[in-house]
Every structure is written in structure tokens, then in C-alpha cells.
Amino acid sequence: MTLVTDTAVKALLTTATTTTVRPRYEGSNICTWIGFKHVNYLVEEAVLDHFRQAGLPARALYEEHGLGLDLVSIDSRILHAFHMDDTADAEVVPWTKDDDGTIGFKVTIQFERNGEIHKAVTSKVRVSLRIDTYLEAAGEVPEQLARFAVATLGDDLQREPGTPAEEEILASLTAGQNAYAWKWNIPYPYCHFTERIQMSGYLRLMEEGKDRFVADRGISIKTLLDDRRWIPVVPRSDIRILDEALMEEDLYTVYTVEEVFKDFTYTSRMDFYVLRDGNLVKTATGRIVHGYAVIENRRDWSLVNFDQHVLDAINGAPAA
């Protein structure tokens, strides 16, 4: 049995840890480069291992204390691209103030390439311990962790007027905006702890949002790959859970272009909603910064500026 002791919690909140991480083969979609989603998976794995090294692994927290470990916020900057088979060191530094209701960490991932150390990723992460209500109660929450334990994920529940009609919902969410929206039923592979979508599920949806948006605008991923060997790159992404979205609920996702920086990058906001009691409840929100790079060979790529065709597509209406 895992004991939640003062020593273990002190280590969790004050002692930095380092773990070795390696991106999964699944994340290599274009040549041997690793996409932003799987880079964030490395950040998640480092945080999970930090809990393990403190003697408070996610499995024990749930099985013995009924506490689900949920990443509720992740804000990552990607400074150097990962490649297939890269091995990296991830340092997790606790970052929790005395009055914080979530557990905070700063994560730095670096790797060696050609004898040089590269800082590849910096990330800020927040964690909540969700009290399980799906199964029978596990008893009192250990007092050392009580301030991080919550009955429902999210710190600022947001509700907006809604309507049961799908077409009207999607139209209302995109009205007057440079945006794309769709409805999707949440399947169990995107969930954890038996009932709710997890952080990795939202990361997968952020990636899908980009794919859907550019296809809608006539510049799909494959179109630009075939036409000019351009690939999308992500220097920064962030996502924050505001409330819970449950297995088999309909999730309304909105991808909105907020800013185009010259002809180099553009920032899009992604908002996620479920419909409850006639109201739209925002369950998560995040942003993703995109640029493009040209494939030079099987190993190298370089950033490129948008041309007018791509700028028009990003700023304009869907293609006919």
C-alpha cells in the first residue's frame, strides 16, 4: 500500500526530478520528425514519473485513495524538433505556491545531437487530483493532498446560451469569426478514469482541428505536401481544462484564427463545449501557433514564409 506521507508530498512539491524520455513511433508522421502532440506526451510522461519518484504514482493514488491524476493545463514551447529515436532528459521542477489549488511544474526537455546539447522543450503544467465519484468512496482524502483534490475539474466554469439544434449551435459558435467548427461524440479511447476525456484527448483534437481547418480552406496537409513539400510546424501550444467532458457526450469544437503574424505564423484558438440542460458548457480552451516548413531532404527542413495563396486561405472563406 502506498502511504501519503509528509515526506512524499514534500518531495512532490519541492524536489526536482529528471527522467529519460523517448518519443513514440506513432508521432513520426512526416519523414522522421515528431509532431507537437507527441512532444506534449513527453511532458506528460515526465510529470507522471515525477509523481512516481516521489512515491505517489498515479495508479496508487487512484486505486488506494480514489484520486485521479489529471493534467488540467499544459503550455509548451518547442525550440528544437525531435526526430524518431531521439532520447532526451526531462527535468521536472515543482512550481506550486502555498495558496495554489493545483500542483504546478516547469518541465525542460533537452537532448544531445552531434555532440551539442539542445534545449528542445519548455513547458508549464498544472495538475489536479480529481476525487472519484464513479465507484464507491475511497475514504477521506489524505490531508497532505486535500487542497489539490477537487470534486470536478476546472476552475472557471463558463456557460453560454445554447440550443438543441446542431446546425444552430455550430452557426452560433462561428458567426462573424474566421472559424471552423464540428460536432463529435467522445469515444472511450480518449477518456480515462472510466468517465472523462483526458489531456491527451484534447491534444489529439487540437491536431485534428488544424487538419480539418486547412482541408476546409483548400490547403489540406497533403495538398501542400504534394504541391510544394510544405509541412505544418508548431512552435507553441497551450490547452487548459475548464470543466469535464464525459464519455459519449457530444463535443462541439471550434477552431478560430485569431492572428496572422506577418507572413510567418498564425495563432488559432480552440474552444470545446458540451451541451447540458440547454446551455453550452465550455470544457477546455487553448491556442496553437502554426507555421510552415519545406522538406529539404529526409533529414532536414527549413521554415518558409506564407505565399499569397496560403495567406488568402488562412484569412478567407472556405474553398468552394
Side-chain angles (χ1 to χ4, degrees), residues 154-166:
D155 54 11
D156 55 350
L157 180 67
Q158 301 186 36
R159 298 183 181 274
E160 300 184 11
T163 168
E166 174 185 340

Side-chain angles (χ1 to χ4, degrees), residues 228-280:
R228 58 191 79 179
R229 291 187 178 179
W230 282 18
I231 60 171
V233 292
V234 178
R236 183 173 184 180
S237 67
D238 68 84
I239 181 73
R240 182 164 58 106
I241 294 176
L242 306 174
D243 201 342
E244 296 176 1
L246 306 180
M247 188 186 303
E248 297 188 1
E249 280 194 303
D250 287 332
L251 190 71
Y252 293 85
T253 302
V254 187
Y255 181 102
T256 305
V257 176
E258 287 191 322
E259 178 187 22
V260 179
F261 179 71
K262 297 182 178 179
D263 58 355
F264 200 61
T265 62
Y266 70 98
T267 301
S268 296
R269 188 182 75 251
M270 290 194 69
D271 297 307
F272 305 86
Y273 303 85
V274 294
L275 186 66
R276 292 185 187 137
D277 300 324
N279 291 312
L280 283 173

Side-chain angles (χ1 to χ4, degrees), residues 4 8-10 12-14 51 56 61 67-70 72 94-105 126-131 141-154:
V4 178
V9 175
K10 181 179 179 180
L12 179 73
L13 299 180
T14 63
F51 275 81
L56 299 169
L61 287 174
L67 296 174
L69 194 164
D70 273 277
V72 293
W95 181 49
T96 306
K97 298 178 182 178
D98 291 341
D99 57 350
D100 283 349
T102 55
I103 306 171
F105 303 102
R126 308 299 302 189
V127 171
S128 286
L129 301 177
R130 165 63 154 79
I131 300 170
V141 175
E143 61 177 347
Q144 299 94 330
L145 297 174
R147 70 182 171 113
F148 307 120
V150 296
T152 303
L153 297 181

